[in-house]
Amino acid sequence: MLVSSSKVGLGTVLKEREIGHLAFDVRVDAEVDTLLENVDVEVNAVNNPVDLSCTLLATSGKGGSLNSIDVCKGYPLGSGNLYISPSWDYKDSSGSLRVEHITDDGTSMEWLSSAEESRVTYSRSIGNHRISPSITTDGNVSFEVDLETSADSSLSSYVCKDEVEVEWSDREWTATFAIPLQGKTIAGTNVHIKREIQF
């Protein structure tokens, strides 16, 4: 079993920063590796009146770089909203496009397309829980289940032919278990645990 180093989360909210002619609410979050080698930085800018948001992911420290950028624009459509989200990954020099329609009752249909494959996901809420089956252009099927066990705790699982992933969140703690599969054999387990600290 491999256990990764833990990280400490830091968060700062900066209100009403003007970008161009639009005013955005900006939030900056950072995860500091306990080995003090890297800092993962996430910047979120949101303009609610026009339903526009942008997310930047970057790493500072050894080999620091801008990792990715994701933009999302929403439009009213029928009994819900249509969201169009192009993104670009600087590390892989690759882009993707996500188109999602979410109805007022929380049911959604998502189409995600990249150079590697396209995937369609249908998601529906049942009480406080959610089920999300997916299928790709290669015919691969996966299934995701999110369970809200209490107001402060949740459990989610993702199953496909190559991996089982389980994430457990309880207040400020999050534990992720990734279990690679080789046929019917478990090929090791990766565990990641982190704790968020707000200042």
Side-chain angles (χ1 to χ4, degrees):
M1 181 175 68
L2 301 177
V3 180
S4 64
S5 62
S6 61
K7 293 185 177 183
V8 177
L10 307 174
T12 303
V13 179
L14 308 177
K15 289 291 187 179
E16 292 296 326
R17 299 296 177 180
E18 190 168 315
I19 302 176
H21 298 290
L22 297 176
F24 286 83
D25 289 337
V26 179
R27 179 180 177 87
V28 180
D29 293 283
E31 284 190 343
V32 183
D33 196 312
T34 53
L35 300 178
L36 302 179
E37 294 181 348
N38 294 291
V39 179
D40 296 330
V41 180
E42 178 176 338
V43 181
N44 291 285
V46 180
N47 183 291
N48 290 316
V50 298
D51 204 355
L52 175 65
S53 64
C54 179
T55 301
L56 297 173
L57 299 180
T59 302
S60 63
K62 294 183 178 179
S65 64
L66 176 62
N67 298 332
S68 65
I69 181 171
D70 182 274
V71 178
C72 181
K73 179 70 175 76
Y75 303 91
L77 180 65
S79 61
N81 290 281
L82 177 70
Y83 296 94
I84 299 176
S85 306
S87 64
W88 183 259
D89 189 313
Y90 288 92
K91 286 187 175 181
D92 299 332
S93 296
S94 63
S96 64
L97 176 64
R98 180 174 62 89
V99 179
E100 183 177 23
H101 182 252
I102 303 177
T103 62
D104 293 339
D105 65 359
T107 301
S108 68
M109 181 68 76
E110 178 193 68
W111 173 67
L112 179 63
S113 180
S114 66
E116 290 76 25
E117 67 175 15
S118 292
R119 182 179 72 240
V120 175
T121 302
Y122 173 79
S123 182
R124 184 175 179 83
S125 296
I126 301 176
N128 294 328
H129 313 310
R130 175 172 289 271
I131 57 172
S132 306
S134 299
I135 187 170
T136 70
T137 48
D138 295 331
N140 295 322
V141 177
S142 61
F143 196 78
E144 186 171 355
V145 179
D146 297 305
L147 305 176
E148 185 177 320
T149 55
S150 68
D152 300 317
S153 180
S154 64
L155 180 69
S156 65
S157 62
Y158 171 80
V159 181
C160 65
K161 68 174 184 178
D162 299 322
E163 184 182 43
V164 174
E165 185 173 309
V166 178
E167 180 178 283
W168 170 69
S169 297
D170 189 4
R171 298 182 181 179
E172 68 271 17
W173 289 96
T174 300
T176 303
F177 305 86
I179 307 170
L181 301 176
Q182 294 180 353
K184 297 181 180 180
T185 303
I186 296 177
T189 301
N190 298 315
V191 180
H192 178 78
I193 300 174
K194 68 177 182 179
R195 185 179 189 273
E196 183 177 357
I197 301 176
Q198 295 288 347
F199 292 92

PDB file of all heavy atoms in Angstrom, residues 4-11 30-34 168-176 192-199:
ATOM      1  N   SER A   4       0.468   8.670   0.265  1.00  0.00           N
ATOM      2  CA  SER A   4       1.041   9.932  -0.175  1.00  0.00           C
ATOM      3  C   SER A   4       1.184  10.883   1.004  1.00  0.00           C
ATOM      4  O   SER A   4       0.553  10.720   2.041  1.00  0.00           O
ATOM      5  CB  SER A   4       0.158  10.572  -1.253  1.00  0.00           C
ATOM      6  OG  SER A   4      -1.105  10.892  -0.713  1.00  0.00           O
ATOM      7  N   SER A   5       2.016  11.898   0.837  1.00  0.00           N
ATOM      8  CA  SER A   5       2.178  12.896   1.888  1.00  0.00           C
ATOM      9  C   SER A   5       0.911  13.727   1.999  1.00  0.00           C
ATOM     10  O   SER A   5       0.194  13.929   1.034  1.00  0.00           O
ATOM     11  CB  SER A   5       3.362  13.805   1.565  1.00  0.00           C
ATOM     12  OG  SER A   5       3.138  14.500   0.351  1.00  0.00           O
ATOM     13  N   SER A   6       0.623  14.200   3.193  1.00  0.00           N
ATOM     14  CA  SER A   6      -0.576  14.993   3.411  1.00  0.00           C
ATOM     15  C   SER A   6      -0.335  16.437   3.021  1.00  0.00           C
ATOM     16  O   SER A   6       0.796  16.885   2.848  1.00  0.00           O
ATOM     17  CB  SER A   6      -1.008  14.908   4.878  1.00  0.00           C
ATOM     18  OG  SER A   6       0.018  15.416   5.706  1.00  0.00           O
ATOM     19  N   LYS A   7      -1.448  17.193   2.890  1.00  0.00           N
ATOM     20  CA  LYS A   7      -1.359  18.590   2.526  1.00  0.00           C
ATOM     21  C   LYS A   7      -2.215  19.413   3.468  1.00  0.00           C
ATOM     22  O   LYS A   7      -3.204  18.934   4.002  1.00  0.00           O
ATOM     23  CB  LYS A   7      -1.811  18.814   1.078  1.00  0.00           C
ATOM     24  CG  LYS A   7      -0.883  18.189   0.043  1.00  0.00           C
ATOM     25  CD  LYS A   7      -1.307  18.550  -1.358  1.00  0.00           C
ATOM     26  CE  LYS A   7      -0.325  17.984  -2.377  1.00  0.00           C
ATOM     27  NZ  LYS A   7      -0.682  18.375  -3.757  1.00  0.00           N
ATOM     28  N   VAL A   8      -1.836  20.667   3.650  1.00  0.00           N
ATOM     29  CA  VAL A   8      -2.593  21.593   4.475  1.00  0.00           C
ATOM     30  C   VAL A   8      -3.239  22.621   3.556  1.00  0.00           C
ATOM     31  O   VAL A   8      -2.564  23.231   2.731  1.00  0.00           O
ATOM     32  CB  VAL A   8      -1.688  22.299   5.508  1.00  0.00           C
ATOM     33  CG1 VAL A   8      -2.495  23.311   6.314  1.00  0.00           C
ATOM     34  CG2 VAL A   8      -1.041  21.270   6.422  1.00  0.00           C
ATOM     35  N   GLY A   9      -4.565  22.812   3.703  1.00  0.00           N
ATOM     36  CA  GLY A   9      -5.283  23.729   2.830  1.00  0.00           C
ATOM     37  C   GLY A   9      -5.412  25.111   3.450  1.00  0.00           C
ATOM     38  O   GLY A   9      -5.695  25.259   4.632  1.00  0.00           O
ATOM     39  N   LEU A  10      -5.185  26.148   2.632  1.00  0.00           N
ATOM     40  CA  LEU A  10      -5.338  27.525   3.052  1.00  0.00           C
ATOM     41  C   LEU A  10      -6.295  28.217   2.093  1.00  0.00           C
ATOM     42  O   LEU A  10      -6.251  27.982   0.892  1.00  0.00           O
ATOM     43  CB  LEU A  10      -3.986  28.258   3.039  1.00  0.00           C
ATOM     44  CG  LEU A  10      -2.835  27.602   3.803  1.00  0.00           C
ATOM     45  CD1 LEU A  10      -1.550  28.368   3.554  1.00  0.00           C
ATOM     46  CD2 LEU A  10      -3.152  27.571   5.293  1.00  0.00           C
ATOM     47  N   GLY A  11      -7.163  29.099   2.601  1.00  0.00           N
ATOM     48  CA  GLY A  11      -8.130  29.757   1.734  1.00  0.00           C
ATOM     49  C   GLY A  11      -8.250  31.231   2.043  1.00  0.00           C
ATOM     50  O   GLY A  11      -8.263  31.640   3.206  1.00  0.00           O
ATOM     51  N   ALA A  30      -4.961  27.439  -1.571  1.00  0.00           N
ATOM     52  CA  ALA A  30      -3.648  26.818  -1.732  1.00  0.00           C
ATOM     53  C   ALA A  30      -3.554  25.578  -0.862  1.00  0.00           C
ATOM     54  O   ALA A  30      -4.098  25.539   0.247  1.00  0.00           O
ATOM     55  CB  ALA A  30      -2.537  27.801  -1.362  1.00  0.00           C
ATOM     56  N   GLU A  31      -2.893  24.552  -1.387  1.00  0.00           N
ATOM     57  CA  GLU A  31      -2.573  23.342  -0.630  1.00  0.00           C
ATOM     58  C   GLU A  31      -1.060  23.243  -0.529  1.00  0.00           C
ATOM     59  O   GLU A  31      -0.369  23.196  -1.546  1.00  0.00           O
ATOM     60  CB  GLU A  31      -3.146  22.096  -1.298  1.00  0.00           C
ATOM     61  CG  GLU A  31      -4.635  21.920  -1.107  1.00  0.00           C
ATOM     62  CD  GLU A  31      -5.110  20.558  -1.576  1.00  0.00           C
ATOM     63  OE1 GLU A  31      -4.364  19.892  -2.318  1.00  0.00           O
ATOM     64  OE2 GLU A  31      -6.213  20.164  -1.190  1.00  0.00           O
ATOM     65  N   VAL A  32      -0.569  23.243   0.705  1.00  0.00           N
ATOM     66  CA  VAL A  32       0.869  23.216   0.939  1.00  0.00           C
ATOM     67  C   VAL A  32       1.292  21.802   1.294  1.00  0.00           C
ATOM     68  O   VAL A  32       0.778  21.211   2.249  1.00  0.00           O
ATOM     69  CB  VAL A  32       1.258  24.182   2.079  1.00  0.00           C
ATOM     70  CG1 VAL A  32       2.768  24.199   2.270  1.00  0.00           C
ATOM     71  CG2 VAL A  32       0.733  25.581   1.789  1.00  0.00           C
ATOM     72  N   ASP A  33       2.207  21.245   0.523  1.00  0.00           N
ATOM     73  CA  ASP A  33       2.743  19.916   0.803  1.00  0.00           C
ATOM     74  C   ASP A  33       3.509  19.956   2.122  1.00  0.00           C
ATOM     75  O   ASP A  33       4.277  20.882   2.373  1.00  0.00           O
ATOM     76  CB  ASP A  33       3.669  19.485  -0.339  1.00  0.00           C
ATOM     77  CG  ASP A  33       3.959  18.000  -0.320  1.00  0.00           C
ATOM     78  OD1 ASP A  33       4.289  17.485   0.762  1.00  0.00           O
ATOM     79  OD2 ASP A  33       3.845  17.363  -1.373  1.00  0.00           O
ATOM     80  N   THR A  34       3.277  18.967   2.978  1.00  0.00           N
ATOM     81  CA  THR A  34       3.970  18.938   4.272  1.00  0.00           C
ATOM     82  C   THR A  34       5.482  18.784   4.114  1.00  0.00           C
ATOM     83  O   THR A  34       6.236  19.069   5.040  1.00  0.00           O
ATOM     84  CB  THR A  34       3.432  17.783   5.139  1.00  0.00           C
ATOM     85  OG1 THR A  34       3.488  16.562   4.397  1.00  0.00           O
ATOM     86  CG2 THR A  34       2.004  18.057   5.562  1.00  0.00           C
ATOM     87  N   TRP A 168     -14.078   9.587   0.966  1.00  0.00           N
ATOM     88  CA  TRP A 168     -14.846   9.824   2.185  1.00  0.00           C
ATOM     89  C   TRP A 168     -14.494  11.196   2.730  1.00  0.00           C
ATOM     90  O   TRP A 168     -13.323  11.520   2.916  1.00  0.00           O
ATOM     91  CB  TRP A 168     -14.539   8.752   3.227  1.00  0.00           C
ATOM     92  CG  TRP A 168     -15.103   9.067   4.599  1.00  0.00           C
ATOM     93  CD1 TRP A 168     -16.408   9.083   4.970  1.00  0.00           C
ATOM     94  CD2 TRP A 168     -14.351   9.434   5.762  1.00  0.00           C
ATOM     95  NE1 TRP A 168     -16.537   9.426   6.302  1.00  0.00           N
ATOM     96  CE2 TRP A 168     -15.274   9.649   6.814  1.00  0.00           C
ATOM     97  CE3 TRP A 168     -12.990   9.593   6.021  1.00  0.00           C
ATOM     98  CZ2 TRP A 168     -14.882  10.025   8.090  1.00  0.00           C
ATOM     99  CZ3 TRP A 168     -12.591   9.970   7.291  1.00  0.00           C
ATOM    100  CH2 TRP A 168     -13.535  10.166   8.317  1.00  0.00           C
ATOM    101  N   SER A 169     -15.507  12.032   2.961  1.00  0.00           N
ATOM    102  CA  SER A 169     -15.300  13.371   3.508  1.00  0.00           C
ATOM    103  C   SER A 169     -16.062  13.499   4.815  1.00  0.00           C
ATOM    104  O   SER A 169     -17.236  13.146   4.900  1.00  0.00           O
ATOM    105  CB  SER A 169     -15.792  14.437   2.525  1.00  0.00           C
ATOM    106  OG  SER A 169     -15.053  14.403   1.322  1.00  0.00           O
ATOM    107  N   ASP A 170     -15.382  14.008   5.840  1.00  0.00           N
ATOM    108  CA  ASP A 170     -16.005  14.238   7.147  1.00  0.00           C
ATOM    109  C   ASP A 170     -15.485  15.564   7.681  1.00  0.00           C
ATOM    110  O   ASP A 170     -14.361  15.657   8.162  1.00  0.00           O
ATOM    111  CB  ASP A 170     -15.669  13.103   8.105  1.00  0.00           C
ATOM    112  CG  ASP A 170     -16.466  13.191   9.409  1.00  0.00           C
ATOM    113  OD1 ASP A 170     -17.323  14.087   9.527  1.00  0.00           O
ATOM    114  OD2 ASP A 170     -16.234  12.367  10.299  1.00  0.00           O
ATOM    115  N   ARG A 171     -16.320  16.611   7.527  1.00  0.00           N
ATOM    116  CA  ARG A 171     -15.935  17.966   7.907  1.00  0.00           C
ATOM    117  C   ARG A 171     -14.660  18.362   7.182  1.00  0.00           C
ATOM    118  O   ARG A 171     -14.620  18.398   5.964  1.00  0.00           O
ATOM    119  CB  ARG A 171     -15.833  18.069   9.427  1.00  0.00           C
ATOM    120  CG  ARG A 171     -17.165  17.802  10.133  1.00  0.00           C
ATOM    121  CD  ARG A 171     -17.067  17.946  11.635  1.00  0.00           C
ATOM    122  NE  ARG A 171     -18.369  17.644  12.247  1.00  0.00           N
ATOM    123  CZ  ARG A 171     -18.590  17.661  13.549  1.00  0.00           C
ATOM    124  NH1 ARG A 171     -17.603  17.975  14.388  1.00  0.00           N
ATOM    125  NH2 ARG A 171     -19.801  17.367  14.029  1.00  0.00           N
ATOM    126  N   GLU A 172     -13.565  18.655   7.923  1.00  0.00           N
ATOM    127  CA  GLU A 172     -12.364  19.172   7.267  1.00  0.00           C
ATOM    128  C   GLU A 172     -11.448  18.064   6.731  1.00  0.00           C
ATOM    129  O   GLU A 172     -10.442  18.345   6.088  1.00  0.00           O
ATOM    130  CB  GLU A 172     -11.559  20.064   8.229  1.00  0.00           C
ATOM    131  CG  GLU A 172     -10.917  19.335   9.388  1.00  0.00           C
ATOM    132  CD  GLU A 172     -11.832  19.235  10.590  1.00  0.00           C
ATOM    133  OE1 GLU A 172     -13.057  19.436  10.427  1.00  0.00           O
ATOM    134  OE2 GLU A 172     -11.337  18.965  11.699  1.00  0.00           O
ATOM    135  N   TRP A 173     -11.798  16.799   6.967  1.00  0.00           N
ATOM    136  CA  TRP A 173     -10.956  15.683   6.527  1.00  0.00           C
ATOM    137  C   TRP A 173     -11.504  15.064   5.242  1.00  0.00           C
ATOM    138  O   TRP A 173     -12.704  14.910   5.072  1.00  0.00           O
ATOM    139  CB  TRP A 173     -10.892  14.593   7.605  1.00  0.00           C
ATOM    140  CG  TRP A 173     -10.093  14.987   8.808  1.00  0.00           C
ATOM    141  CD1 TRP A 173     -10.567  15.503   9.977  1.00  0.00           C
ATOM    142  CD2 TRP A 173      -8.675  14.907   8.956  1.00  0.00           C
ATOM    143  NE1 TRP A 173      -9.544  15.750  10.861  1.00  0.00           N
ATOM    144  CE2 TRP A 173      -8.361  15.399  10.257  1.00  0.00           C
ATOM    145  CE3 TRP A 173      -7.631  14.485   8.140  1.00  0.00           C
ATOM    146  CZ2 TRP A 173      -7.061  15.456  10.738  1.00  0.00           C
ATOM    147  CZ3 TRP A 173      -6.332  14.551   8.621  1.00  0.00           C
ATOM    148  CH2 TRP A 173      -6.062  15.021   9.896  1.00  0.00           C
ATOM    149  N   THR A 174     -10.590  14.698   4.336  1.00  0.00           N
ATOM    150  CA  THR A 174     -10.957  13.982   3.115  1.00  0.00           C
ATOM    151  C   THR A 174      -9.960  12.854   2.884  1.00  0.00           C
ATOM    152  O   THR A 174      -8.748  13.081   2.895  1.00  0.00           O
ATOM    153  CB  THR A 174     -10.961  14.915   1.891  1.00  0.00           C
ATOM    154  OG1 THR A 174     -11.899  15.976   2.099  1.00  0.00           O
ATOM    155  CG2 THR A 174     -11.353  14.142   0.635  1.00  0.00           C
ATOM    156  N   ALA A 175     -10.480  11.663   2.673  1.00  0.00           N
ATOM    157  CA  ALA A 175      -9.632  10.498   2.393  1.00  0.00           C
ATOM    158  C   ALA A 175     -10.057   9.885   1.065  1.00  0.00           C
ATOM    159  O   ALA A 175     -11.246   9.681   0.812  1.00  0.00           O
ATOM    160  CB  ALA A 175      -9.757   9.462   3.507  1.00  0.00           C
ATOM    161  N   THR A 176      -9.079   9.621   0.204  1.00  0.00           N
ATOM    162  CA  THR A 176      -9.340   9.043  -1.107  1.00  0.00           C
ATOM    163  C   THR A 176      -8.579   7.723  -1.245  1.00  0.00           C
ATOM    164  O   THR A 176      -7.383   7.659  -0.958  1.00  0.00           O
ATOM    165  CB  THR A 176      -8.922  10.000  -2.235  1.00  0.00           C
ATOM    166  OG1 THR A 176      -9.601  11.251  -2.088  1.00  0.00           O
ATOM    167  CG2 THR A 176      -9.271   9.417  -3.599  1.00  0.00           C
ATOM    168  N   HIS A 192      -4.771   8.743  -0.212  1.00  0.00           N
ATOM    169  CA  HIS A 192      -4.445  10.164  -0.069  1.00  0.00           C
ATOM    170  C   HIS A 192      -5.353  10.759   0.993  1.00  0.00           C
ATOM    171  O   HIS A 192      -6.573  10.640   0.903  1.00  0.00           O
ATOM    172  CB  HIS A 192      -4.641  10.891  -1.407  1.00  0.00           C
ATOM    173  CG  HIS A 192      -4.378  12.369  -1.329  1.00  0.00           C
ATOM    174  ND1 HIS A 192      -3.110  12.891  -1.314  1.00  0.00           N
ATOM    175  CD2 HIS A 192      -5.226  13.414  -1.238  1.00  0.00           C
ATOM    176  CE1 HIS A 192      -3.189  14.201  -1.242  1.00  0.00           C
ATOM    177  NE2 HIS A 192      -4.463  14.566  -1.179  1.00  0.00           N
ATOM    178  N   ILE A 193      -4.755  11.389   1.988  1.00  0.00           N
ATOM    179  CA  ILE A 193      -5.522  11.985   3.091  1.00  0.00           C
ATOM    180  C   ILE A 193      -5.120  13.456   3.240  1.00  0.00           C
ATOM    181  O   ILE A 193      -3.925  13.779   3.229  1.00  0.00           O
ATOM    182  CB  ILE A 193      -5.267  11.246   4.427  1.00  0.00           C
ATOM    183  CG1 ILE A 193      -5.696   9.775   4.294  1.00  0.00           C
ATOM    184  CG2 ILE A 193      -6.016  11.917   5.564  1.00  0.00           C
ATOM    185  CD1 ILE A 193      -5.358   8.930   5.512  1.00  0.00           C
ATOM    186  N   LYS A 194      -6.116  14.333   3.355  1.00  0.00           N
ATOM    187  CA  LYS A 194      -5.800  15.742   3.558  1.00  0.00           C
ATOM    188  C   LYS A 194      -6.772  16.361   4.567  1.00  0.00           C
ATOM    189  O   LYS A 194      -7.885  15.874   4.753  1.00  0.00           O
ATOM    190  CB  LYS A 194      -5.835  16.532   2.251  1.00  0.00           C
ATOM    191  CG  LYS A 194      -7.189  16.685   1.620  1.00  0.00           C
ATOM    192  CD  LYS A 194      -7.119  17.534   0.368  1.00  0.00           C
ATOM    193  CE  LYS A 194      -8.502  17.739  -0.244  1.00  0.00           C
ATOM    194  NZ  LYS A 194      -8.439  18.580  -1.448  1.00  0.00           N
ATOM    195  N   ARG A 195      -6.327  17.450   5.155  1.00  0.00           N
ATOM    196  CA  ARG A 195      -7.137  18.192   6.132  1.00  0.00           C
ATOM    197  C   ARG A 195      -7.114  19.669   5.771  1.00  0.00           C
ATOM    198  O   ARG A 195      -6.053  20.229   5.509  1.00  0.00           O
ATOM    199  CB  ARG A 195      -6.593  17.997   7.552  1.00  0.00           C
ATOM    200  CG  ARG A 195      -7.453  18.638   8.643  1.00  0.00           C
ATOM    201  CD  ARG A 195      -6.847  18.376  10.016  1.00  0.00           C
ATOM    202  NE  ARG A 195      -7.720  18.766  11.086  1.00  0.00           N
ATOM    203  CZ  ARG A 195      -7.780  19.995  11.606  1.00  0.00           C
ATOM    204  NH1 ARG A 195      -6.975  20.940  11.115  1.00  0.00           N
ATOM    205  NH2 ARG A 195      -8.607  20.294  12.592  1.00  0.00           N
ATOM    206  N   GLU A 196      -8.272  20.284   5.720  1.00  0.00           N
ATOM    207  CA  GLU A 196      -8.372  21.695   5.356  1.00  0.00           C
ATOM    208  C   GLU A 196      -8.378  22.552   6.618  1.00  0.00           C
ATOM    209  O   GLU A 196      -9.091  22.280   7.579  1.00  0.00           O
ATOM    210  CB  GLU A 196      -9.649  21.953   4.561  1.00  0.00           C
ATOM    211  CG  GLU A 196      -9.781  23.382   4.090  1.00  0.00           C
ATOM    212  CD  GLU A 196     -11.021  23.605   3.233  1.00  0.00           C
ATOM    213  OE1 GLU A 196     -11.734  22.608   2.978  1.00  0.00           O
ATOM    214  OE2 GLU A 196     -11.270  24.743   2.839  1.00  0.00           O
ATOM    215  N   ILE A 197      -7.559  23.601   6.584  1.00  0.00           N
ATOM    216  CA  ILE A 197      -7.481  24.555   7.689  1.00  0.00           C
ATOM    217  C   ILE A 197      -7.837  25.932   7.166  1.00  0.00           C
ATOM    218  O   ILE A 197      -7.200  26.437   6.233  1.00  0.00           O
ATOM    219  CB  ILE A 197      -6.071  24.577   8.322  1.00  0.00           C
ATOM    220  CG1 ILE A 197      -5.704  23.179   8.838  1.00  0.00           C
ATOM    221  CG2 ILE A 197      -6.007  25.603   9.445  1.00  0.00           C
ATOM    222  CD1 ILE A 197      -4.296  23.096   9.380  1.00  0.00           C
ATOM    223  N   GLN A 198      -8.877  26.545   7.725  1.00  0.00           N
ATOM    224  CA  GLN A 198      -9.311  27.874   7.306  1.00  0.00           C
ATOM    225  C   GLN A 198      -8.782  28.927   8.261  1.00  0.00           C
ATOM    226  O   GLN A 198      -8.818  28.754   9.476  1.00  0.00           O
ATOM    227  CB  GLN A 198     -10.847  27.930   7.268  1.00  0.00           C
ATOM    228  CG  GLN A 198     -11.484  27.013   6.228  1.00  0.00           C
ATOM    229  CD  GLN A 198     -11.287  27.500   4.790  1.00  0.00           C
ATOM    230  OE1 GLN A 198     -10.882  28.631   4.579  1.00  0.00           O
ATOM    231  NE2 GLN A 198     -11.611  26.646   3.843  1.00  0.00           N
ATOM    232  N   PHE A 199      -8.298  30.035   7.700  1.00  0.00           N
ATOM    233  CA  PHE A 199      -7.793  31.154   8.508  1.00  0.00           C
ATOM    234  C   PHE A 199      -8.670  32.375   8.255  1.00  0.00           C
ATOM    235  O   PHE A 199      -9.199  32.567   7.192  1.00  0.00           O
ATOM    236  CB  PHE A 199      -6.348  31.472   8.169  1.00  0.00           C
ATOM    237  CG  PHE A 199      -5.383  30.390   8.587  1.00  0.00           C
ATOM    238  CD1 PHE A 199      -5.045  29.383   7.696  1.00  0.00           C
ATOM    239  CD2 PHE A 199      -4.825  30.390   9.855  1.00  0.00           C
ATOM    240  CE1 PHE A 199      -4.140  28.393   8.076  1.00  0.00           C
ATOM    241  CE2 PHE A 199      -3.928  29.400  10.235  1.00  0.00           C
ATOM    242  CZ  PHE A 199      -3.588  28.399   9.338  1.00  0.00           C
TER     243      PHE A 199
END
